[in-house]
Amino acid sequence: MTIEHNLQEIQGQIQSVCARVGRSEDEVTLIAVSKTKPVDMLREAYGAGVRQFGENKVQELNEKIPKMPEDIKWHLIGHLQTNKVRQIIGKTSLIHSVDSIKLAREIEKESEKRNLVTEILLEINVAKEESKFGFFLEEAAEALCLVREMPHVRAVGLMTVAPFVANAEENRPIFRKLYEFYVDMKSKNIDNVNMTVLSMGMTGDFKVAIEEGATMVRVGTGIFGAR
């Protein structure tokens, strides 16, 4: 199967899920997760129309950016260490994985140096998995209020990495819980916090995530094939 064929399959599934739940497909952005994939595969995806790519590691992202067209929006979706922040500021469309106030402060510091505003998502560990990063839901409102005070960081939404499950339905309560919190935060109109992005759902469970309100889905294997 070609990348173009896989992409059409995924886009078709997004369209049918949106139609089924009464959402516009324009509400859902597909991020092609290209981590560990060679540049020629990214170019093939680009040729098939992909303009939003997700990478896990700062080093890999920095190696790929100069080899790809300039109109790409790059998403950092993996864990970001504070000592790597300066290497990434100004290069991403969105950092999905802000999992601590310490990290947000480092992004603020490096963004101020470059006179930029960096858009971020707070990563929420809804399932409280020990192996995952992120704020617990009960900590997230306070974290958003702290981010509000940072003039060079703008929180535009939330992200979660749901548990790896054989049956996507098992993750529905997690997606629903995060969506409810997202709607709640949106209604509070917190200054400098613009709740427009809900990044949740991957190859195995993105359809359930869209049903539960995701605005961004992160699909790797479904587009590029198994690692």
Side-chain angles (χ1 to χ4, degrees):
M1 294 294 179
T2 63
I3 287 171
E4 184 172 16
H5 176 271
N6 292 345
L7 193 61
Q8 286 171 351
E9 282 277 301
I10 298 289
Q11 287 167 333
Q13 290 172 20
I14 290 171
Q15 285 168 358
S16 63
V17 173
C18 286
R20 191 168 69 243
V21 296
R23 295 183 67 190
S24 163
E25 64 187 90
D26 297 338
E27 291 173 36
V28 182
T29 301
L30 174 61
I31 312 292
V33 178
S34 48
K35 62 179 184 181
T36 75
K37 298 300 177 190
V39 169
D40 58 348
M41 290 183 87
L42 275 71
R43 288 188 181 132
E44 196 181 328
Y46 181 90
V50 174
R51 294 296 179 271
Q52 316 245 10
F53 288 87
E55 287 287 336
N56 261 38
K57 293 190 164 67
V58 170
Q59 185 183 347
E60 192 177 345
L61 181 62
N62 281 333
E63 284 168 5
K64 286 174 175 174
I65 287 172
K67 297 173 183 171
M68 292 292 291
E70 287 184 3
D71 63 337
I72 286 172
K73 290 185 173 176
W74 294 97
H75 298 255
L76 188 76
I77 59 175
H79 176 61
L80 176 59
Q81 295 165 291
T82 49
N83 64 351
K84 298 274 178 75
V85 167
R86 59 188 168 75
Q87 299 172 29
I88 198 85
I89 296 303
K91 297 177 181 179
T92 58
S93 169
L94 189 58
I95 299 173
H96 289 232
S97 47
V98 175
D99 55 17
S100 69
I101 291 301
K102 182 185 172 195
L103 177 58
R105 288 193 174 120
E106 189 64 25
I107 295 170
E108 165 65 26
K109 188 179 92 178
E110 294 296 333
S111 300
E112 184 180 16
K113 282 182 192 172
R114 293 167 176 75
N115 197 26
L116 293 169
V117 176
T118 300
E119 294 200 336
I120 67 162
L121 304 179
L122 285 198
E123 180 171 356
I124 313 296
N125 186 352
V126 182
K128 296 188 174 178
E129 288 184 279
E130 285 184 17
S131 61
K132 300 258 173 73
F133 296 98
F135 297 93
F136 292 158
L137 264 176
E138 55 268 29
E139 305 167 330
E142 185 187 352
L144 282 168
C145 288
L146 290 170
V147 170
R148 176 181 69 182
E149 307 301 324
M150 302 177 193
H152 300 89
V153 173
R154 184 178 298 124
V156 295
L158 308 169
M159 175 267 222
T160 195
V161 180
F164 185 76
V165 291
N167 178 7
E169 280 299 325
E170 289 175 39
N171 281 336
R172 189 179 294 280
I174 285 162
F175 296 144
R176 185 167 293 171
K177 229 181 246 185
L178 190 61
Y179 177 75
E180 286 166 358
F181 178 76
Y182 167 79
V183 169
D184 186 37
M185 290 298 105
K186 210 173 190 168
S187 71
K188 287 186 165 48
N189 291 323
I190 303 168
D191 293 342
N192 199 33
V193 172
N194 180 16
M195 286 279 128
T196 56
V197 178
L198 190 54
S199 170
M200 58 186 195
M202 301 195 286
T203 297
D205 56 15
F206 74 88
K207 288 181 275 192
V208 173
I210 293 169
E211 287 171 358
E212 294 301 331
T215 72
M216 274 187 184
V217 292
R218 310 180 303 271
V219 178
T221 308
I223 295 171
F224 295 103
R227 279 183 191 80

